[in-house]
Amino acid sequence: MLQIINVRGLWVLLLLNGYLLSPLLLFDAGLLPGLEMNLEPLLLFNLAASVIGLLLIHSLVEKPFLLHILLLPFYITTAIDLFLVVFYQSRLSASYLLILSGEIAELPELLSSFTTPIILSVLGVSAIWLGGLYGIVDLHWRISHRTRLALALLLICAYGVAAARQMHTYDYGVELAAYDILVHDRSAPAGILPQGYIAWKQYRQAREFLATRKSFRFDAQTDDPKDTIYVLVIGESARPDHWTLQGYRRDTTPRIAANDAVIWFPDATTQSALTRVSVPAMLSLAPITEFDRILSEASILRAFSEVGLKSWWLSTQEVSQFGGHIHVLAEEATTRKYFERQLDAALFNEIKRLLAGPASNGGLVIMHGRGSHFTFRNRYPREFAIWDDNLGNQSRRDFLVNSYDNSLRYTDSILADTIELIESMEKPAVLLYVSDHGENLLDDERGLFGHNIGTEQDVRTTQFFWASHSWRERHPERWALIQSNANLPVSTAHLAHSLLDIAGIQVTGLDAARSWAGSDFKATDRRPFRLNGKIRYFESPATRNGVSYRPD
């Protein structure tokens, strides 16, 4: 039974709860100008969990006045969430909690840059909270136990349905599906609790080698000018045989294929078909056969920092156990910025802003996108649905291939826009694109789908190099060497050595034989990769005599 007194107080209460829901409505539902609604099932889950959760906690009290006094911490976190939505186009997530925890010393300087918005926010939140409390002081009700139970069951069902979907879609077990729901729980206002847990768990897992990484030094030196713009784009699940440059039957990447300043690497492999292993490995000088070194030694971002070059880490990927310790690499950049669950256009918009300001005089920008990560259909806007991505019209494989190819067409657009932007600056600049791994797409009778399986489809990866006209004029010999070496077998194990070589940065541990940008490059067709804790070796089909393994 529901008994309500004071209708005006009820309207005030609705406004208060609207404030608590506002980050979800403005960002995830796309109500803020400049943002688009992303109709993923997880948006519906977060909306349902938020509304049902608020109804449930209100049903447990007779006087909402007392409840909203206790909700003061959530009013504050909502204000921070709104701040990130407006100024950073992102939500308050584990990513930003880790950034704040790692940069406490720099927090006063950051806050001083937003003095006026912070003062207005404090005044606004105070007015909303105090005024709201005054408006609901006389509001009370009595809600039956049956209604409370129904709301509790609805909330449990919302989480249960979301977990069941993840289990079905990604073939997760119960525990992994539950963790995945925590990762994606951005409900308002309580989503800060699971995000705080994820941040704490990631920090604990990384703590054992954080101190070692922080004290690590490359003793880096360079005599090269520091005016070059270096852009590293880390792709996601992009297999090369679906790119136009590799002779694919579809024109998936027409703009990159038409660029004469693009050097294509037709025989590139990853060191792991798992993002959380592949990304740290490609940014380390250590080989995949020494994975402990990859975790305990700093990435090449530290080398750029040691010679006075700033770095920026931009990402549309989330911080979670699925990303492993990638967030630790990001901490080695001068600046980090996350655009979680946004399309990769957010990365282009941000690098456009950087190149108009702090990065215009040189430095390293890393763009870590979602690329062709499953679910493929959610990785591109509707105007890039070039091939039919309606499951009801075709077989599952055709649907997967069509939506996958559409995601590559969108990647082509983001990369081409970025290259055109950099070229228009008429400055020395390079862009290196490397995908973390490939993807299986039900290619044969085995019916394999996804990655981290160890097939040719997920171990082969996509790589190309582009340089501006100014850079090519300054480094004609280097350009010729890269062109010459591009057709040789390469691996993501060569990336860190090659990028430092291109930048003219000398460090302890740099191996000229592992740099395809130099004359001493030693290519080998037998390339190691890590699969489920073991080292295996990839060889091209023409020379393969079997696959060998050994434990780490």
Side-chain angles (χ1 to χ4, degrees), residues 14 88 95 106 172 255 303 311 337 389 423 429 439 453 474 496 517:
L14 288 173
Y88 290 89
S95 307
E106 289 77 25
Y172 289 161
R255 294 175 65 188
S311 56
K337 203 165 184 180
D389 59 1
E423 185 66 87
E439 188 83 348
I453 301 173
R474 180 184 288 184

Side-chain angles (χ1 to χ4, degrees), residues 242-282:
H242 276 243
W243 285 59
T244 304
L245 283 158
Q246 195 82 341
Y248 187 46
R249 60 186 173 85
R250 286 175 169 172
D251 204 9
T252 52
T253 53
R255 294 175 65 188
I256 294 299
N259 193 315
D260 293 335
V262 165
I263 298 176
W264 180 254
F265 290 74
D267 189 4
T269 61
T270 183
Q271 296 178 87
S272 172
L274 193 62
T275 304
R276 65 187 181 196
V277 177
S278 175
V279 174
M282 72 170 65

Side-chain angles (χ1 to χ4, degrees), residues 25-44:
L25 298 175
L26 291 174
F27 181 81
D28 298 77
L31 298 184
L32 187 71
L35 294 177
E36 297 181 2
M37 178 182 290
N38 194 351
L39 285 174
E40 293 189 27
L42 286 169
L43 169 60
L44 302 178

Side-chain angles (χ1 to χ4, degrees), residues 65-228:
F65 173 82
L66 298 176
L67 172 64
H68 281 261
I69 289 177
L70 296 175
L71 287 177
L72 175 60
F74 290 103
Y75 277 81
I76 296 171
T77 57
T78 297
I80 298 171
D81 210 349
L82 286 172
F83 177 86
L84 289 172
V85 168
V86 172
F87 289 99
Y88 290 89
Q89 292 77 55
S90 188
R91 292 287 308 279
L92 181 56
S93 62
S95 307
Y96 280 96
L97 291 173
L98 284 166
I99 289 175
L100 289 173
S101 67
E103 298 181 357
I104 294 296
E106 289 77 25
L107 195 56
E109 181 180 350
L110 172 66
L111 296 179
S112 66
S113 303
F114 295 96
T115 303
T116 300
I118 289 172
I119 292 174
L120 292 176
S121 297
V122 171
L123 293 175
V125 173
S126 300
I128 291 170
W129 186 62
L130 293 172
L133 288 177
Y134 178 78
I136 63 174
V137 66
D138 295 324
L139 183 64
H140 62 88
W141 53 48
R142 184 173 299 165
I143 296 177
S144 68
H145 294 299
R146 184 175 297 176
T147 302
R148 294 171 181 171
L149 179 60
L151 288 170
L153 290 174
L154 275 175
L155 188 61
I156 292 171
C157 284
Y159 279 88
V161 168
R165 176 189 176 274
Q166 301 305 87
M167 292 171 67
H168 177 265
T169 304
Y170 300 107
D171 198 25
Y172 289 161
V174 174
E175 184 177 351
L176 191 56
Y179 182 84
D180 194 43
I181 291 303
L182 289 180
V183 169
H184 293 96
D185 189 344
R186 306 295 169 79
S187 56
I192 185 63
L193 299 177
Q195 292 304 307
Y197 169 74
I198 297 299
W200 171 79
K201 186 171 183 178
Q202 290 301 114
Y203 176 78
R204 279 197 61 189
Q205 290 177 347
R207 187 172 53 186
E208 60 187 77
F209 58 85
L210 270 174
T212 306
R213 290 183 73 99
K214 287 183 177 180
S215 62
F216 185 86
R217 292 292 178 270
F218 283 103
D219 298 322
Q221 297 178 353
T222 183
D223 295 324
D224 279 22
K226 298 178 182 178
D227 59 346
T228 300

Side-chain angles (χ1 to χ4, degrees), residues 314-333:
L314 314 177
S315 177
T316 49
Q317 299 227 2
E318 296 168 317
V319 170
S320 71
Q321 79 170 34
F322 304 105
H325 301 305
I326 294 176
H327 69 92
V328 176
L329 307 183
E331 289 180 14
E332 293 166 1

Side-chain angles (χ1 to χ4, degrees), residues 233-240 243 269-272 278-279 282 372 404 432-439 459-464 492 495:
V233 183
I234 302 174
E236 172 66 56
S237 304
R239 53 187 273 185
W243 285 59
T269 61
T270 183
Q271 296 178 87
S272 172
S278 175
V279 174
M282 72 170 65
S372 299
Y404 182 83
L432 174 61
Y433 175 89
V434 183
S435 181
D436 55 358
H437 51 73
E439 188 83 348
V459 176
R460 282 197 182 277
T461 194
T462 304
Q463 178 173 314
F464 71 79
T492 57
L495 185 149

